[in-house]
Amino acid sequence: SSAVEYTTVIGHFLNVRNSLLAFPTDTPLSERMRSCEAAIVAFSNKISEFLDLDQGFADEMTRRVANAAQFCQTPQVQESSFVATMKQFAEECDWEGLEMIALRYASNEDPGVQHAASSYLCLALANSDYPEKHAEANAVADGLVGREEATIDDYRLCFSVNRKIGRDPRAQEVLLEAANRFGHLPPDFQAVAMQFAMESGNKELRNLLSPGIGGTDE
């Protein structure tokens, strides 16, 4: 039916973004576009059909195209958009795509982007369907918390990754290291830490967490 055909065309077009971003940085745009040509052409043809059917739709599309053209004239992409891209891949649970993007941004000259790339790479590896990548995730996580400038978020990620890949003893070590280093756990970290203590039956850890290790930033 036409509805099924439309859904298929839209699905292929929505995957174009991930396909374009998954190439190495030195891949020419023309080569990237060729790989997605069929999906783009099919979507364009479908939109053209709608333009002929409804004038209101045609007017709205003209307005949006004009806005997009103006947006594309922006002189340079802000570095924060790199982080936003990785965040979107993570939200979509596209772990293979996230791994590729994070590896590319890991060499970015901006320290903030590098740190974000390492964090997202760690997340992607931990969620990989390939068990051999879990050890890589653990190595990246240990590297994050081993930095002098490590943050509480680095420790939470390391804790979560070790839980994800079934390394509970290491997860407990990370939890205690975070408590000793920062003197408190944020409420969200505190909640998952207490759940871990209860599930593991570790009464000593549960007692340690009960006062909240400071509990809040008060």
Side-chain angles (χ1 to χ4, degrees), residues 18 21-23 82 85-86 89 96-106 117:
N18 289 357
L21 290 173
F23 284 89
F82 299 152
T85 297
M86 290 185 285
F89 270 68
E96 289 188 9
L98 179 59
E99 180 183 349
M100 295 178 67
I101 294 296
L103 283 171
R104 185 200 309 175
Y105 293 156

Side-chain angles (χ1 to χ4, degrees), residues 36-145:
C36 310
E37 181 178 0
I40 295 172
V41 170
F43 179 75
S44 176
N45 290 339
K46 187 60 64 176
I47 291 299
S48 295
E49 293 177 17
F50 294 152
L51 294 178
D52 294 335
L53 292 173
D54 188 283
Q55 185 59 46
F57 179 83
D59 293 341
E60 175 64 14
M61 184 58 62
T62 299
R63 184 187 68 79
R64 295 194 180 197
V65 169
N67 288 343
Q70 183 178 9
F71 175 78
C72 289
Q73 292 173 2
T74 303
Q76 54 181 306
V77 179
Q78 295 298 314
E79 287 181 332
S80 60
S81 68
F82 299 152
V83 179
T85 297
M86 290 185 285
K87 180 180 179 181
Q88 187 166 351
F89 270 68
E91 290 174 347
E92 295 174 359
C93 297
D94 184 351
W95 305 121
E96 289 188 9
L98 179 59
E99 180 183 349
M100 295 178 67
I101 294 296
L103 283 171
R104 185 200 309 175
Y105 293 156
S107 59
N108 189 282
E109 61 185 20
D110 183 283
V113 174
Q114 286 185 23
H115 177 242
S118 294
S119 299
Y120 280 114
L121 175 61
C122 183
L123 188 62
L125 294 170
N127 283 280
S128 174
D129 293 331
Y130 301 97
E132 61 269 20
K133 291 190 176 183
H134 296 171
E136 297 179 46
N138 181 60
V140 176
D142 282 347
L144 287 169
V145 299

Side-chain angles (χ1 to χ4, degrees), residues 144-164:
L144 287 169
V145 299
R147 302 176 309 135
E148 183 177 349
E149 65 275 23
T151 67
I152 191 70
D153 288 336
D154 292 325
Y155 277 87
R156 172 164 184 177
L157 175 61
C158 188
F159 169 80
S160 299
V161 164
N162 279 280
R163 285 279 282 152
K164 173 74 176 177

Side-chain angles (χ1 to χ4, degrees), residues 159-214:
F159 169 80
S160 299
V161 164
N162 279 280
R163 285 279 282 152
K164 173 74 176 177
I165 62 180
R167 299 182 77 247
D168 285 358
R170 176 55 182 155
Q172 180 173 320
E173 290 177 5
V174 172
L175 180 58
L176 295 176
E177 288 172 11
N180 291 330
R181 182 165 184 171
F182 298 97
H184 72 279
L185 298 180
D188 55 346
F189 195 174
Q190 167 73 17
V192 295
M194 178 59 80
Q195 181 180 1
F196 168 64
M198 295 179 69
E199 290 177 355
S200 64
N202 189 323
K203 182 178 295 187
E204 181 180 355
L205 182 60
R206 188 167 66 247
N207 291 339
L208 176 64
L209 292 169
S210 293
I213 314 182

